[in-house]
Amino acid sequence: MSASFVALTVICAIIGAGSFIGFYAGRRYKMDLEQWTVGNRGFGMLLVWLLMAGETYTTFTFLGASGRAYSWGGPVLYILAYQPLIFVVSFYVMPQMWEAGKRYRLQTQADFFRMRYGSKHLEAFVALVGIVFLIPYIQLQLTGLGLIVEVASFGAIHRTPAMMISFSIVAGFVLTSGLRGAAWVSVLKDFLLLFAAVCIGIVVPYHYFGGTGAMFSALAHAKPEHLVMPGATKNFGHLWFVSTVLMTSLAFFMWPQYIGACYSAKDGNTLRRNAVIMPLYSITMPLVLIVGFTALLVLPNLPDGDLALLSIVRKTFPAWFLGIVGGAGALTAMVPASVQILTAATLFIKNFCRPILAPSMTDAQVARMAKATVLGLTAVAMSFAILSSASLVALLIIGYTGVAQFFPGVVLGLYSRRVTTAGVFAGLATGVGIVAFLGLTRNDPLMGFNAGFIGLCFNFAVTTTVSLLRPVELQSLDGHLPQGIRE
Amino acid sequence: MKRPSLGSILLGLIPFAAICFPVALWDRVYPMILGLPFNFFWLVSWLVLTPLCMWGAYRLEVPRSPDPRGDGKGGTL
């Protein structure tokens, strides 16, 4: 039996098991809009934890983190730094979001903006910004998946058919099982990824250097500059590190798909407990980074840093283990992508088309249309992934800096009575404009600062200034305020 | 919707302060601890210490927020 056949069989078995779980999970439930988008708000602690771990550890964390350890060096530590901090921020924001969601039956992030600010134009704008930044993220999962299957099958399967087959499966279980399907596939994915990361992170440095300490000593001796900032990069110094870590930890839970995960919890304390223990799953991250650093010493001339993890695994381990890593990697693309597709489709129909084009649409019609949109979106992301992959990382970085701009609208919306619709609209437009300009003109970082951080500062300033200059009488706004804010 | 208490916010600020402000102090290779460069070790240890801070914040926060199951305890993980 050839190595590629063994690896391929294991990958197919894992993808098959994952899809079976995904289809089976939704079998007993009637998939109305509420069940489809937020699992009827019935997920307990364990399922929310698994779903969040499943959604937040994407192919970007898996391949991208080790790839940046390989090609950037020191600045990659920002990934390690923001992991615990995103959950600190979520502790103070998500339970309140959940409460508002429960009370007003909200299903998406744009729903929250409509409820809080009472403007369908703001709702549609928020939905549109969310979709625009989600599509490159879906595309990235596709490309990552194609890369994983191609390398793990020793080139036996080309990336295009791999992407097509697995994303047909993804679209399939999104349609039949919604968020519940993604949550249950996460169970398999989280354990496989943990298993794979622990094995690789311990065995790889041991195999080549006799241990992690020896590997780091060798690296510190060979390239003393690589392990501290700015490492192999030109301008990713300490200022960049602090502004990026702050921006990312505020931005993270502003990704529209995580709001759905938040609403799926059965109560607010589930989210608080989740925020307390979630950083412990991040223990996989240092292991993945160690693999990237080891790869730099063992395979110094790779054309692409993103190949570092897979290449060294292929060089070190037997074929069946490569299959497990490949399968875990494939699920690592499929789970986040399924939720991202579901979220983008719901945002498009429920929060963009309905308020602007067809206000009379019922929830049942929204659910039907959104499911049809799933197929369209998958096709769009697929064609992007097949036709181009050049500026993928750049697009994702713009995405992060972009969703960060939701933060003032969400947090001030939850905690302040004074913030107004006009203020949030102006702030969001300013912030998104700044990050799009800086990103597209390749001015990120600007004077050492992360572009998203700059956008966020202006966003906050504009939001508060406009809100204070043109205060709206609280009475007229009262109807849109969650009860608790009025207290 | 109650605001988080001051105590729990202060506990949440500890990991932020430890990771962001002294970056020029901890971003160094030596001394290596447990085989890890010092900057790597510092951040890994905050993966473990952050849940401790947030557990404290949880203990402060939960008795204040309404518990839908109504067991009124809510303080246990």
Side-chain angles (χ1 to χ4, degrees):
Chain A
M1 258 195 315
S2 72
S4 73
F5 181 77
V6 174
L8 212 56
T9 313
V10 177
I11 293 177
C12 289
I14 290 173
I15 294 182
S19 350
F20 174 75
I21 297 172
F23 283 108
Y24 188 79
R27 206 180 45 105
R28 288 177 296 124
Y29 297 91
K30 184 175 161 285
M31 279 295 144
D32 57 9
L33 195 59
E34 179 84 352
Q35 178 66 256
W36 194 59
T37 53
V38 294
N40 244 2
R41 296 173 219 270
F43 293 0
M45 164 93 179
L46 194 60
L47 202 51
V48 171
W49 190 78
L50 289 164
L51 177 63
M52 291 248 178
E55 276 194 62
T56 51
Y57 294 87
T58 70
T59 44
F60 194 67
T61 6
F62 196 50
L63 299 183
S66 54
R68 287 168 177 201
Y70 183 92
S71 52
W72 285 6
V76 77
L77 292 175
Y78 96 91
I79 297 182
L80 217 48
Y82 81 64
Q83 293 287 337
L85 298 182
I86 58 181
F87 297 106
V88 173
V89 175
S90 86
F91 183 91
Y92 302 102
V93 180
M94 288 295 121
Q96 281 76 6
M97 277 299 269
W98 180 88
E99 240 175 86
K102 173 83 173 168
R103 190 173 299 159
Y104 294 90
R105 296 185 61 79
L106 312 175
Q107 290 155 339
T108 64
Q109 186 185 41
D111 280 354
F112 174 81
F113 277 83
R114 183 197 57 227
M115 179 280 294
R116 174 62 180 83
Y117 298 107
S119 157
K120 66 177 185 180
H121 294 104
L122 182 60
E123 173 190 8
F125 185 57
V126 167
L128 193 66
V129 171
I131 296 165
V132 166
F133 291 129
L134 269 172
I135 287 179
Y137 211 170
I138 302 169
Q139 181 192 351
L140 181 108
Q141 307 301 340
L142 270 160
T143 310
L145 182 129
L147 205 66
I148 289 167
V149 176
E150 191 173 283
V151 174
S153 69
F154 294 88
I157 299 188
H158 191 256
R159 63 183 71 176
T160 311
M163 288 193 289
M164 286 185 161
I165 295 168
S166 17
F167 269 66
S168 311
I169 297 174
V170 168
F173 74 72
V174 168
L175 289 179
T176 53
S177 308
L179 192 68
R180 194 172 286 275
W184 282 104
V185 184
S186 297
V187 178
L188 180 62
K189 180 234 140 173
D190 291 341
F191 285 110
L192 274 177
L193 186 63
L194 190 61
F195 173 73
V198 170
C199 289
I200 305 170
I202 292 171
V203 171
V204 167
Y206 184 80
H207 180 79
Y208 293 99
F209 296 94
T212 308
M215 184 279 290
F216 273 121
S217 300
L219 186 56
H221 188 71
K223 295 175 190 261
E225 293 306 308
H226 194 75
L227 284 168
V228 293
M229 287 172 251
T233 65
K234 280 198 301 285
N235 45 12
F236 291 170
H238 289 161
L239 211 51
W240 172 86
F241 174 86
V242 172
S243 59
T244 305
V245 166
L246 285 176
M247 191 280 296
T248 314
S249 39
L250 302 182
F252 198 83
F253 277 92
M254 297 300 126
W255 277 103
Q257 69 270 29
Y258 303 141
I259 306 286
C262 155
Y263 288 155
S264 73
K266 72 176 187 316
D267 56 60
N269 282 338
T270 299
L271 294 167
R272 288 197 182 89
R273 283 195 289 266
N274 196 50
V276 172
I277 59 164
M278 201 64 201
L280 294 176
Y281 191 83
S282 310
I283 212 72
T284 50
M285 289 313 301
L287 296 167
V288 169
L289 297 185
I290 286 172
V291 177
F293 284 129
T294 314
L296 182 65
L297 289 167
V298 178
L299 304 163
N301 294 315
L302 290 176
D304 180 358
D306 289 347
L307 292 170
L309 186 131
L310 291 171
S311 308
I312 198 159
V313 168
R314 193 163 81 172
K315 188 175 155 69
T316 317
F317 288 92
W320 64 267
F321 188 81
L322 182 64
I324 291 185
V325 175
L331 291 183
T332 303
M334 289 164 75
V335 170
S338 64
V339 190
Q340 288 159 1
I341 292 172
L342 188 154
T343 307
T346 315
L347 282 174
F348 182 67
I349 299 298
K350 189 182 183 201
N351 302 111
F352 186 75
C353 292
R354 178 156 84 173
I356 301 294
L357 302 171
S360 60
M361 216 190 270
T362 64
D363 273 7
Q365 284 169 319
V366 167
R368 268 202 302 279
M369 296 281 288
K371 286 176 189 174
T373 311
V374 164
L375 298 175
L377 270 173
T378 312
V380 169
M382 189 91 76
S383 40
F384 277 139
I386 293 170
L387 296 175
S388 82
S389 60
S391 55
L392 212 60
V393 173
L395 280 174
L396 184 76
I397 290 172
I398 297 179
Y400 253 106
T401 58
V403 293
Q405 310 308 323
F406 292 133
F407 190 77
V410 167
V411 170
L412 294 176
L414 285 171
Y415 289 123
S416 159
R417 299 159 57 127
R418 290 220 183 126
V419 63
T420 65
T421 311
V424 170
F425 218 135
L428 182 59
T430 311
V432 171
I434 289 174
V435 298
F437 176 77
L438 291 178
L440 294 171
T441 58
R442 303 194 176 277
N443 274 313
D444 178 19
L446 184 69
M447 296 179 295
F449 283 102
N450 177 300
F453 184 79
I454 299 173
L456 200 52
C457 292
F458 278 97
N459 184 341
F460 258 116
V462 171
T463 306
T464 42
T465 315
V466 174
S467 295
L468 293 176
L469 283 182
R470 293 191 50 202
V472 177
E473 279 182 43
L474 273 175
Q475 226 166 2
S476 64
L477 208 91
D478 226 20
H480 308 301
L481 282 174
Q483 213 153 18
I485 290 176
R486 251 181 279 150
E487 282 161 8
Chain B
M1 210 154 310
K2 284 185 180 149
R3 287 160 189 252
S5 68
L6 187 64
S8 85
I9 291 180
L10 287 178
L11 278 168
L13 284 175
I14 294 174
F16 268 96
I19 288 173
C20 288
F21 293 121
V23 52
L25 293 175
W26 59 251
D27 185 28
R28 59 183 70 235
V29 176
Y30 300 102
M32 284 203 184
I33 299 178
L34 302 173
L36 301 174
F38 189 76
N39 51 7
F40 205 90
F41 169 79
W42 180 257
L43 294 174
V44 170
S45 50
W46 280 99
L47 284 183
V48 182
L49 295 174
T50 304
L52 280 181
C53 294
M54 297 320 289
W55 181 68
Y58 179 82
R59 294 298 299 267
L60 288 176
E61 208 52 41
V62 162
R64 292 154 30 88
S65 65
D67 189 335
R69 280 164 305 172
D71 62 4
K73 288 182 290 187
T76 48
L77 277 172

